[in-house]
C-alpha cells in the first residue's frame, strides 16, 4: 500500500455551486483513507467517482487521458477541475503506475502506435507485443494488465470492466490478487461491476452518500440488484414492467 489518504483542502474551496463542488460527494469529501491494497469507488452515474479518480491521477503525475508517467500525450481535458483542491498522503511514495479510463483507451492505443511509428525499436513490449488496435478490446486490456503491471505501482482504473467479458473479469481479479499479494501494487478502481466488487477484503467507498462512506459488498446496489435479478428474474421483470401495463 502506498497512497494512504486523499484530503480535500477545504480552505481553498471556491464556488460551491459550480463543478466539481456541485457534486454532493465531492463537496463534503473531507478525507478518504486507504487501508487496503484494493479500493473501489461505487455509486450512481454522475456521483463523482471519475471526478475524484482523475484528480488523484493528475496529482500522481499521470496523464488525465490515461497512461503512466511516460505516456504524456494530448488530451483535451488537461487539468482536472478538482486536482488543485486535494492533497495526497503517501507512505511510501511511488512514482510507477497507470491511470486508465475505458473511454480513453482508444486514444492510448493510438498514442502507442504513434510512438512505434516514431521509434522503430519500439516493440510494444508490455502491451502484448503488437498494437493494441490489433487486439480485441478485452484482449488488449488484459495484456496491458498482465504484461505491464509488476513494479511497485499504483493503478487507477476507471470502469475497467467495460472491456472485459465476465470470464476475463475473473482473470483480471486474479491479476489483482497476484500483484497486491506480493505487496507490489495498490489499486483504486471506479466500477459498476458486481464481479470486480467481490474482490475479497477490498475497501468499498460509496459515492451515493455525502460524505462518502464505506459500504459492505452485500450492501451495494450493484450486489443487491444483480442477485435479485439473477435469482428471480421473472418476478423482478414483472415488477419492473408493471406500471407500463397498468397505464
Ligand atoms: N468537466 C466537467 N464540467 C462540468 N461538469 C462535469 C464535468 N465532468 C463531469 N461533470 C459532472 O459532474 C458529475 C459527476 O461526474 P463523474 O464523471 O465524476 O461521475 P461518475 O460517478 O464517474 O459517473 P459514471 O458512473 O457515469 O462514470 C456529473 O453530473 C457530470 O455531469
Ligand atoms: Mg465515471
Amino acid at each position: 500500500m502506498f497512497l494512504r489518504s486523499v484530503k480535500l483542502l477545504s480552505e481553498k474551496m471556491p464556488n460551491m455551486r459550480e463543478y466539481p463542488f456541485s457534486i454532493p460527494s465531492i463537496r463534503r469529501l473531507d478525507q478518504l483513507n486507504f487501508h487496503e491494497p484494493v479500493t473501489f469507488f461505487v455509486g450512481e452515474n454522475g456521483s463523482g467517482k471519475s471526478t475524484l479518480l482523475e484528480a488523484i491521477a493528475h496529482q500522481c503525475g499521470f496523464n488525465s487521458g490515461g497512461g503512466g508517467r511516460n505516456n504524456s500525450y494530448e488530451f483535451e481535458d488537461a487539468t482536472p477541475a478538482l486536482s488543485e483542491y486535494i492533497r495526497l498522503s503517501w507512505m511510501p511514495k511511488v512514482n510507477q503506475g497507470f491511470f486508465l479510463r475505458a473511454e480513453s483507451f482508444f486514444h492510448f492505443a493510438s498514442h502507442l502506435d504513434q510512438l512505434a511509428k516514431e521509434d522503430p525499436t519500439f516493440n510494444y513490449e508490455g502491451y502484448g507485443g503488437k498494437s493494441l488496435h490489433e487486439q480485441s478490446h478485452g484482449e488488449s486490456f488484459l495484456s496491458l494488465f498482465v504484461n505491464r503491471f509488476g513494479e511497485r505501482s499504483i493503478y487507477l482504473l476507471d470502469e475497467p470492466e467495460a472491456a472485459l467479458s465476465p470470464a476475463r473479469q475473473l482473470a483480471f481479479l486474479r491479476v489483482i490478487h497476484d500483484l497486491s499479494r506480493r505487496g507490489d501494487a495498490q489499486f483504486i478502481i471506479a466500477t459498476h461491476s458486481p464481479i470486480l466488487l467481490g474482490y475479497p477484503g477490498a475497501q468499498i467507498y460509496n459515492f451515493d452518500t455525502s460524505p462518502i462512506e464505506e459500504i459492505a459488498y452485500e450492501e451495494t446496489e450493484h450486489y443487491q440488484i444483480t442477485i435479485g435479478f439473477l435469482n428471480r428474474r421473472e418476478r423482478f421483470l414483472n415488477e419492473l414492467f408493471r406500471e407500463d401495463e397498468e397505464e
Side-chain angles (χ1 to χ4, degrees), residues 1-2 4 35-40 145-146 149-155 157 170-189 196 198-203:
M1 277 202 46
F2 311 113
R4 300 293 166 155
H35 51 73
E36 298 296 336
V38 180
T39 305
F40 291 107
F145 296 136
V146 173
F149 291 4
E151 295 170 62
R152 284 155 47 101
S153 307
I154 182 162
Y155 299 112
L157 309 173
L170 295 178
F172 178 52
L173 288 182
R174 179 66 206 243
V175 173
I176 296 179
H177 177 72
D178 290 346
L179 289 174
S180 56
R181 196 180 39 178
R182 294 204 311 249
D184 281 343
Q186 179 174 6
F187 290 86
I188 302 178
I189 304 174
L196 294 188
Y199 186 80
Q203 200 180 0

Side-chain angles (χ1 to χ4, degrees), residues 49-50 158-159:
K49 304 178 298 295
S50 298
D158 201 349
E159 299 189 30

Side-chain angles (χ1 to χ4, degrees), residues 30-78:
D30 191 24
Q31 181 163 325
L32 283 193
N33 295 316
F34 302 108
H35 51 73
E36 298 296 336
V38 180
T39 305
F40 291 107
F41 290 173
V42 297
E44 254 322 311
N45 295 121
S47 59
K49 304 178 298 295
S50 298
T51 296
L52 182 57
L53 202 60
E54 280 165 22
I56 294 173
H58 189 258
Q59 287 266 335
C60 289
F62 302 156
N63 190 285
S64 59
R69 279 182 165 256
N70 301 325
N71 300 114
S72 64
Y73 57 99
E74 296 290 324
F75 195 74
E76 69 274 14
D77 178 24

Side-chain angles (χ1 to χ4, degrees), residues 195-242:
I195 296 180
L196 294 188
L197 279 178
Y199 186 80
Q203 200 180 0
I204 304 176
Y205 275 122
N206 181 14
F207 280 58
D208 288 335
T209 54
S210 171
I212 297 162
E213 282 173 0
E214 264 193 85
I215 185 169
Y217 175 55
E218 292 80 4
E219 300 295 320
T220 61
E221 241 185 21
H222 309 65
Y223 174 88
Q224 290 182 357
I225 290 179
T226 307
I227 203 163
F229 186 83
L230 294 177
N231 281 343
R232 328 181 73 149
R233 182 159 58 108
E234 214 162 304
R235 201 175 124 180
F236 204 92
L237 290 173
N238 283 342
E239 194 84 358
L240 183 67
F241 299 150
R242 200 178 46 195

Side-chain angles (χ1 to χ4, degrees), residues 38-148:
V38 180
T39 305
F40 291 107
F41 290 173
V42 297
E44 254 322 311
N45 295 121
S47 59
K49 304 178 298 295
S50 298
T51 296
L52 182 57
L53 202 60
E54 280 165 22
I56 294 173
H58 189 258
Q59 287 266 335
C60 289
F62 302 156
N63 190 285
S64 59
R69 279 182 165 256
N70 301 325
N71 300 114
S72 64
Y73 57 99
E74 296 290 324
F75 195 74
E76 69 274 14
D77 178 24
T79 305
L82 184 62
S83 66
E84 60 179 301
Y85 304 107
I86 59 168
R87 185 189 299 137
L88 306 184
S89 300
W90 299 87
M91 186 73 177
K93 175 87 170 82
V94 293
N95 293 315
Q96 290 294 322
F98 207 80
F99 171 46
L100 202 56
R101 307 207 272 206
E103 64 206 58
S104 55
F105 191 57
F106 181 88
H107 295 273
F108 183 65
S110 303
H111 163 67
L112 293 182
D113 286 355
Q114 189 60 35
L115 286 184
K117 225 189 259 171
E118 288 163 8
D119 175 4
T121 65
F122 183 85
N123 59 4
Y124 295 97
E125 195 191 337
Y127 303 102
K130 59 179 174 178
S131 167
L132 296 180
H133 284 308
E134 291 169 24
Q135 306 175 42
S136 87
H137 200 191
E139 285 167 351
S140 56
F141 223 84
L142 216 57
S143 39
L144 193 65
F145 296 136
V146 173
N147 295 300
R148 187 177 155 137

